[in-house]
Amino acid sequence: MNPHPANNTMEGHHISVCVCTFKRENLLRLLLAKLENQQTEGLFTYSVVVADNDVAESAKGVVADFCSTHRLAVNYCVEPQQNIALARNMAFQHARGDFIAFIDDDEFPADDWLCTLFKACEAYGVAGVLGPVIPYYELEPPQWVKKGGFFDRPAYKTGYKLNWAESRTSNGLIRRSILNGAGAPFRSEFDTAGEDVDFFRRMMETGCAFIWCNEAIVYEEVPSSRCNRSYLLKRALLRGSNFPKHPRNRVKNAFKSLIAVPCYTLVLPILALFGQHVFLTYLIKLLDHASRLLAFLGLKVVTRRHT
């Protein structure tokens, strides 16, 4: 039995689940199937918005096939310009209801995910709630990947008040009302990464509070193609190149990177003696800081997200 009506006949709250996708049709199929089985406990209704960031509309057929055999309401839209911030704005533009949830297209939620986020947001009376993302490996990864925790993300105690540097849009729920008068939620200059952290920073500066809910679990699909050094190093270079776009503490952060780069360079040969995972951990830190410095000079080594 479908856990909620498709026509939104229940009174009360409605949640739009926003998904941005780019050429990951198989993962999107899995995500939509998991989203249909979300528990509501009669507290809210929900629907899904899929924002396709591919001018060729590669996700259109997936959404059409799903809607032809399922009752879950899915609204499909396209952002043709390759830009994650613009894709998120497109998804938010098509969202309806008084809450907006977000999840990435390479993730899938536990059945009580949405309900757990909603109840935490109401119980704590906050602007929004974020939750954990746990890696789900396609194949058993090399031991150095697990030892280094390269796909692990920080987790906190439920109720913990987040600062902007700890925020992201891979698992969360916000009240739509916080967007009133905010213009476009995500800034287009963050075209490849960092748009979510910037969004939460600006929201927090207006007085919005966001807390952590450790029981609202989402799993991230980690294909074997990501479990290699090349992917991890390119990800570090991309992350670092977007950091200087944040207006806060630019000079301070540049100074930190100026110190970090030579320090990490000097100790890397020694760290190699402690294992591949230790060496790679600090090589990633080195490339992160080096990429920040290059970005301050107007140079960008990695220009697109790697899937």
Side-chain angles (χ1 to χ4, degrees), residues 3-4 17 30-41 44 46 72 101-104 106-119 131-136 170-172 213-221:
H4 65 91
V17 181
L30 172 63
L31 172 57
L32 291 176
K34 290 290 186 178
L35 287 175
E36 184 171 38
N37 295 320
Q38 288 296 293
Q39 301 167 7
T40 68
E41 297 184 10
F44 56 87
Y46 68 97
L72 175 62
F102 29 82
I103 187 170
D104 289 346
D106 59 347
E107 298 173 345
F108 61 92
D111 289 346
D112 62 350
W113 166 66
L114 204 54
C115 194
T116 303
L117 285 176
F118 175 80
K119 289 194 289 187
V133 177
I134 300 173
Y136 184 88
S170 52
N171 173 5
C213 180
N214 209 43
E215 293 76 33
I217 297 174
V218 157
Y219 298 93
E220 178 186 23
E221 290 272 359

Side-chain angles (χ1 to χ4, degrees), residues 124 155-161 211-215:
Y124 284 88
Y156 312 95
K157 184 178 179 180
T158 296
Y160 170 75
K161 185 178 179 181
I211 60 108
W212 184 263
C213 180
N214 209 43
E215 293 76 33

Side-chain angles (χ1 to χ4, degrees), residues 250-270:
R250 285 171 55 85
V251 175
K252 180 181 178 181
N253 289 327
F255 184 69
K256 284 182 178 179
S257 294
L258 278 172
I259 296 175
V261 167
C263 289
Y264 286 136
T265 302
L266 287 172
V267 300
L268 273 177
I270 300 173

Side-chain angles (χ1 to χ4, degrees), residues 12-303:
H13 300 287
H14 185 83
I15 301 173
S16 282
V17 181
C18 290
V19 181
C20 296
T21 188
F22 178 71
K23 295 183 178 179
R24 293 198 272 208
E25 294 90 336
N26 290 335
L27 294 176
L28 180 60
R29 288 189 185 93
L30 172 63
L31 172 57
L32 291 176
K34 290 290 186 178
L35 287 175
E36 184 171 38
N37 295 320
Q38 288 296 293
Q39 301 167 7
T40 68
E41 297 184 10
L43 300 173
F44 56 87
T45 56
Y46 68 97
S47 56
V48 177
V49 177
V50 173
D52 192 349
N53 202 197
D54 179 14
V55 67
E57 301 185 3
S58 56
K60 187 173 184 178
V62 174
V63 175
D65 289 345
F66 180 85
C67 291
S68 68
T69 55
H70 298 79
R71 297 182 61 207
L72 175 62
V74 182
N75 186 4
Y76 174 81
C77 55
V78 180
E79 172 48 63
Q81 184 175 339
Q82 189 67 58
N83 183 304
I84 186 59
L86 293 180
R88 294 201 191 283
N89 286 338
M90 180 64 70
F92 276 36
Q93 181 181 331
H94 286 79
R96 61 189 180 91
D98 49 343
F99 286 86
I100 298 175
F102 29 82
I103 187 170
D104 289 346
D105 64 344
D106 59 347
E107 298 173 345
F108 61 92
D111 289 346
D112 62 350
W113 166 66
L114 204 54
C115 194
T116 303
L117 285 176
F118 175 80
K119 289 194 289 187
C121 196
E122 292 288 86
Y124 284 88
V126 289
V129 181
L130 277 64
V133 177
I134 300 173
Y136 184 88
Y137 295 101
E138 176 186 47
L139 298 172
E140 183 67 19
Q143 276 301 109
W144 62 265
V145 170
K146 285 193 170 182
K147 283 185 177 180
F150 297 111
F151 295 98
D152 296 340
R153 306 198 194 190
Y156 312 95
K157 184 178 179 180
T158 296
Y160 170 75
K161 185 178 179 181
L162 297 160
N163 62 55
W164 63 269
E166 298 165 332
S167 58
R168 47 178 165 68
T169 52
S170 52
N171 173 5
L173 176 79
I174 63 170
R175 297 182 188 273
R176 189 189 182 110
S177 59
I178 71 173
L179 303 178
N180 294 340
F186 301 95
R187 296 164 61 198
S188 60
E189 54 263 44
F190 291 89
D191 52 348
T192 55
E195 80 293 338
D196 47 359
V197 176
D198 174 71
F199 166 74
F200 282 106
R201 176 188 60 78
R202 289 183 286 111
M203 291 297 99
M204 289 179 188
E205 287 177 350
T206 67
C208 293
F210 302 89
I211 60 108
W212 184 263
C213 180
N214 209 43
E215 293 76 33
I217 297 174
V218 157
Y219 298 93
E220 178 186 23
E221 290 272 359
V222 183
S224 55
S225 60
R226 291 186 184 180
C227 296
N228 59 72
R229 301 166 192 81
S230 176
Y231 173 84
L232 294 170
L233 298 180
K234 287 177 180 178
R235 186 176 69 171
L237 288 169
L238 180 65
R239 181 173 56 244
S241 67
N242 281 285
F243 198 83
K245 296 175 182 178
H246 294 287
R248 298 285 293 273
N249 303 320
R250 285 171 55 85
V251 175
K252 180 181 178 181
N253 289 327
F255 184 69
K256 284 182 178 179
S257 294
L258 278 172
I259 296 175
V261 167
C263 289
Y264 286 136
T265 302
L266 287 172
V267 300
L268 273 177
I270 300 173
L271 293 173
L273 300 174
F274 294 90
Q276 182 178 179
H277 64 290
V278 176
F279 175 80
L280 193 57
T281 295
Y282 286 91
L283 178 57
I284 287 172
K285 292 178 183 290
L286 169 61
L287 293 183
D288 196 328
H289 283 286
S291 183
R292 293 183 189 187
L293 293 177
L294 291 173
F296 274 110
L297 298 175
L299 302 174
K300 198 169 184 179
V301 180
V302 177
T303 58

